[in-house]
Structure formats: C-alpha cells, structure tokens
Amino acid sequence: MSPDNTVQVTSLPNLAEILPYLLGHYPDDSIALHAPGPNFIDGPTMTSPLPDDPAEWKAAAELAARQFVSYAHEKGHDLGQGVIVYLCREPRADETPWDTAALLAPVTDWLTVTLLNKRACVLQTIGLVANRWWAYECTTEGCCEGQPLPSADDPTSVKAQMARLGRTPGPRTRDIVKEFRAAAPADTDFIKELDAAVAQFNARCATSTGCDATLTSTCAQIDAAVSRFRAGATTLNRTLATQLIVGLHDDGAMEAGMAHAEDDDLPHARRLWAYLARHCADPFTPEAVPALTLFAFVAWRQGDLIAARLALRDALTIDPDYDVAVAIHLGTIDGEDPRDFLAAARENRDHRMAHVQHAVQVASEYRPVTDSTADRHRQALDAATDYYAAQASTYRGQLLARYGTIDIIGAALVDFRNGPPQLMDEIAARIILGLQDRETRDAALSTGDENDLPAERQLWGYLARRCVPPHTDKAPPLLTLLGWVAWRQNDTATARHAFSDALDIDPHYRLAKHMLDGIRIERDPAAFLAVYREEAQRFAASRADLDSL
C-alpha cells in the first residue's frame, strides 16, 4: 500500500476490530485464521465454521489448523512468521459474554498445538463475543478481557481509518445467509409436496428412459422459472418449485441451471436459486445442495465471493462429496475464471440434450406401438404364450420350438430383404416367444456378413414394437439382438440405448449388460462375433440330435 492507504494496526483493540475488513464480512460462530503480510491485511486468510456443540470444537479446531497450513503453503506463505487466530461466537440464551469467552478458551490450546506441530507460530488469539474482545495470550488477570470494540469516534481505531479510506465493514454471516438458508418454521404443506416430488422423481428415474424424460422436463422448467423471475416474479407455484428442487439432482439439470449465468440473467438466477434453497427445510435440507451450488456459482460470477463461499460451505457441510460444489469451491480458492465453468457447463448440457434427443429418435425404432394395432399384437401374444408354454413342456418340445423358431426367423429375413416388412401376427408372436429361450436367442445373434445387417435390424425393431403391455417383459431379447446389430454397424449410440432399455426392463439380463459393458470399455465387436460364429456352428451341428430323440 502507499502511505496514504496504509492501515495502522498498532494495538490489540486494532487487531480485534479489523477482522470484518480482512474478510469482507463478520464470521458468526467461526474460527478465522490470518497470516499477516507486509501491510498486515496482506497474506492468506481462512474461516472455518465453529459447530454449535462444544463437544465438536476440538476436532473442528484441529481440522481448521491443518487446512490453513496447507492453504498458506500453497500460497507460498511462511507461517513461521506468525498467525493471528480469531474465535467468534455469540452468547447463547443462557450465557453471558464472559461465559462464552471462557467456553472458547480451550479452542486456543487445540489450535496452538496443531499449528506448532506444523511449524506455524501463533502471534495472538482474539476472542470476539457480543462486540467485545478477549486476548487469550494475555496472562494478566482482568486484562484484555471483555473490552468493548473501539468506536469510530476514536481517530486511531480501524473503523475510523477505514472510513477515511471510504471502506465499510462487511455484513455479518447471519445476515448474508438469510438470502439462501432455510428459515424455521418450515412450510408444512410445501414439505409434504416436496416429499411427494422426491418419490415421483425416484420412480420416474428408475429407468434410463424415465431419466431422459425427467431431464427434458426439468430443463424446460428451469427455462420457465428463470423467465418468470426475469419478468419480476419472486415466487413459484408449489408444484413447479418442488419439481425443480428435486429435478436439479440430475447432473444434466445442474448444467442447464449453470448455463443461465449470462450477465443479464445473473440477478434473476440468483434470486431463483436462493428462493429454492430457502424452501428446503428440515428434514429436506439435503435437497438444497444443487440449488445452493447454483446460487454460489451465480454469486461467484457476480464477484460476490463471500456469499458464494458461505453457500458452498452449507452445501458441502450437507454433502462433502458433491462434485460440482467441490469444483466451484476449489475454483474460487484458486482464482479460476467462472466463465470457463460456464462454457464447460453449456458444452456438457448441449451434449447431454443431444444424447436425450437421439434417444427419442432411436426409441421410435423399437418402442412398443400405442396405436390401434396394439390390441391385435396383444391378442396374438396372449394366444402364443399359451401355445408356446404347452409346446415347451417337454425336452423334445423345447428342441422343436428352438429350431422351429430359427427356421421361421430365416424365412422372415428373406421376406424382409425382398420387400416391405410384413409378418402374420401369429408368426411374429411365435418368434417373440421363441426368443425368450436363451439358446434360441444366441442362435439368432447376427453372424453373417454386413449385407445381412439392415434386414436383421429391421426385423428386431419390428418385433420389439409388438411387445406391448403386458408383454413388455418379452422385449429384452429383441432389444439385445437389435443392439448387437447396431453395434456391428458401428452405431454405438443406438446400441447403448437398446441395451440400456433392455436392462431397464430386466436389470439382470446378462447378455445386454455384457454387451453394454463392451461398448463402454470400447471393445471391438469382432471379438464377440468370433465367439458367436462358433456358437452358431455348434447350434447348427446339434440339429441332428433331434433324430436320436
């Protein structure tokens, strides 16, 4: 600093009153650590929450000391030159300021021991309670105990010096967090509807198709909510608010929320995320994590690091492993540009939405029909189910059904290659039922040359569309066969969707899982094809077994 801008910290009262100027806010119920630089206010500073329960203070103090040492070293600061410790706590209803100060005293020892073990020297430990200060290093009885903080009337006070520089102390933590922290008592009707929204979200997201549909809906709701707040709204209807709170737990929805962080949208988005976070009262405080993280991101974009870090502190206290909050928190510490996060969020959002859109397009290839033909397909499958069960009741019947199904498939593929796809309902139903047998399904796996693939893919999609309720449980073999053909055609996106949808219907359908894992680890389908060709030859050769029965 130039001489005109120098702040003189020449006394313990000065040391006590400078904290909110160092941090930009007054940290209620916190441990604050500062390593003075050349002009005192230079140097690393960190705050850590002081739990409400004194039984947790020892662990909190030791953790705060270790974290500060690591942080200061990353900043290239030598803590051997000294650390100032601040302990901030307001008296509880049954405490005087002196009671609270005495309660804080052991924390100084825990901090000092941990810091000394890390080769950091404690210069002073200041207690700040109810606008009074205590200097715990002072051993003179009655000295430095409970003195009022200096007033601005004192020309040597930090307040007076800062006022001359045009600076004011930051707000208290408790006033900042009112913007985004849930207040008590909770709105019981809102909590009931939030509970219902959580159950609905979990039910819808039990399948990949449901996840895609929920993400699409949540993204549209985010757009609508931001538009409403942009137009001046300060509230949302209960249904939209609860669905948004829960929907934001999808990573894709979080990225869509972060995308609303252009300069013109920042004030509106900030009010929206704060509004949603405030409505996540106990026992639904975990639901607030995404909204708190989005609030923090917007505040960071606005340059309000204090509000951002306090919101992140709440989010990470609830869920220390929430990746987005962890990344943003590290970004604020390391001085990264939030616009880089914005660009990445938009790129990821666009990629996800393209994936979802592709899933909708792909699903039309095999999703069961809902038009007037559905009843006809259902009746055919009902009749075929009874017939197939009777036929497969003996071993010879199983073999006849197995080879008969393969013969019918071969004839159907000839028809599909030669003209518009058309199978009699009874024939289509018989193939669908026959493929429920694992050996039949394996024998039907595509092992021919690439010229056969279009007709095979068309057949499996045609049959999958006939697996209408209550026969949707018969679709996994068809979806797996279609996915395998798509994979052989290098259409891994369609293959992924088909395998995933098969597993949505039957999570234990092993072949679909095996192939999906193969795509995920980028295995060459040629390795699978070699195995399936051997199995096809074995199946064809074993046909002679029928003659010996």
Side-chain angles (χ1 to χ4, degrees), residues 213-436:
T214 302
L215 175 58
T216 300
S217 175
T218 304
C219 289
Q221 290 169 336
I222 291 170
D223 292 342
V226 172
S227 294
R228 292 181 191 182
F229 271 64
R230 189 187 298 122
T234 57
T235 63
L236 297 175
N237 69 66
R238 190 175 294 158
T239 299
L240 177 56
T242 54
Q243 290 179 352
L244 262 180
I245 288 169
V246 179
L248 287 170
H249 283 262
D250 186 300
D251 289 344
M254 272 293 293
E255 289 159 355
M258 290 177 67
H260 285 284
E262 283 293 352
D263 293 346
D264 292 343
D265 266 341
L266 294 176
H268 320 303
R270 177 169 177 152
R271 287 188 294 108
L272 172 61
W273 308 134
Y275 172 82
L276 295 178
R278 286 197 306 273
H279 279 77
C280 298
D282 187 65
F284 288 98
T285 49
E287 302 303 323
V289 172
L292 287 169
T293 304
L294 287 169
F295 173 89
F297 179 66
V298 170
W300 184 26
R301 282 276 290 119
Q302 292 176 310
D304 187 355
L305 279 172
I306 295 167
R309 286 171 177 163
L310 289 173
L312 289 169
R313 187 170 81 178
D314 279 9
L316 292 171
T317 298
I318 297 168
D319 184 356
D321 299 319
Y322 191 64
D323 291 341
V324 184
V326 170
I328 293 174
H329 176 64
L330 293 174
T332 65
I333 292 174
D334 296 338
E336 296 186 39
D337 189 335
R339 289 173 296 186
D340 293 338
F341 283 69
L342 176 60
R346 286 186 168 157
E347 182 179 348
N348 290 339
R349 176 204 58 185
D350 293 344
H351 178 76
R352 284 182 192 270
M353 296 313 296
H355 173 84
V356 169
Q357 186 60 38
H358 186 267
V360 173
Q361 296 169 352
V362 165
S364 64
E365 184 176 357
Y366 56 74
R367 192 64 49 79
V369 298
T370 57
D371 58 19
S372 58
T373 61
D375 287 339
R376 204 181 74 217
H377 299 333
R378 185 178 299 109
Q379 291 167 6
L381 282 167
D382 287 341
T385 299
D386 295 336
Y387 172 81
Y388 187 83
Q391 184 186 32
S393 61
T394 66
Y395 179 60
R396 179 177 176 80
Q398 290 175 12
L399 290 180
L400 287 170
R402 188 171 293 159
Y403 291 105
T405 300
I406 295 301
D407 288 343
I408 296 171
I409 290 172
L413 285 171
V414 171
D415 291 342
F416 270 60
R417 292 188 192 101
N418 294 333
Q422 188 64 49
L423 292 178
M424 293 177 60
D425 292 336
E426 294 78 6
I427 297 298
R430 184 174 173 183
I431 295 174
I432 292 170
L433 268 294
L435 288 171
Q436 305 309 304

Side-chain angles (χ1 to χ4, degrees), residues 374 377-379 381-382 385 466-475:
H377 299 333
R378 185 178 299 109
Q379 291 167 6
L381 282 167
D382 287 341
T385 299
R466 288 171 169 263
C467 295
V468 297
H471 297 284
T472 50
D473 62 331
K474 297 177 176 64

Side-chain angles (χ1 to χ4, degrees), residues 15 20 28 117 216 429 502:
L15 195 62
D28 294 294
N117 287 340
T216 300

Side-chain angles (χ1 to χ4, degrees), residues 1 76 95 127 134 201 233 279 281 299 363 370 393 424 426 445 476 547:
M1 281 186 179
E95 293 176 355
W134 278 255
F201 178 83
H279 279 77
T370 57
S393 61
M424 293 177 60
E426 294 78 6
L445 285 166
D547 298 331

Side-chain angles (χ1 to χ4, degrees), residues 68-80:
F68 183 64
V69 169
S70 176
Y71 173 58
H73 284 167
E74 288 177 3
K75 297 297 182 182
H77 196 92
D78 179 11
L79 293 182

Side-chain angles (χ1 to χ4, degrees), residues 452-525:
D452 296 328
L453 299 181
E456 292 184 16
R457 179 166 173 167
Q458 194 174 28
L459 173 62
W460 305 137
Y462 177 87
L463 294 173
R465 291 195 297 275
R466 288 171 169 263
C467 295
V468 297
H471 297 284
T472 50
D473 62 331
K474 297 177 176 64
L478 286 308
L479 295 174
T480 304
L481 291 167
L482 186 149
W484 165 239
V485 173
W487 190 12
R488 283 197 63 193
Q489 293 175 312
N490 295 318
D491 183 2
T492 55
T494 296
R496 281 175 183 269
H497 289 301
F499 295 143
S500 295
D501 283 356
L503 290 167
D504 283 346
I505 297 169
D506 182 357
H508 304 293
Y509 204 72
R510 294 178 61 185
L511 185 59
K513 185 178 186 306
H514 184 53
M515 289 185 171
L516 183 58
D517 289 342
I519 291 176
R520 285 171 174 163
I521 63 175
E522 299 183 350
R523 286 193 64 183
D524 188 341

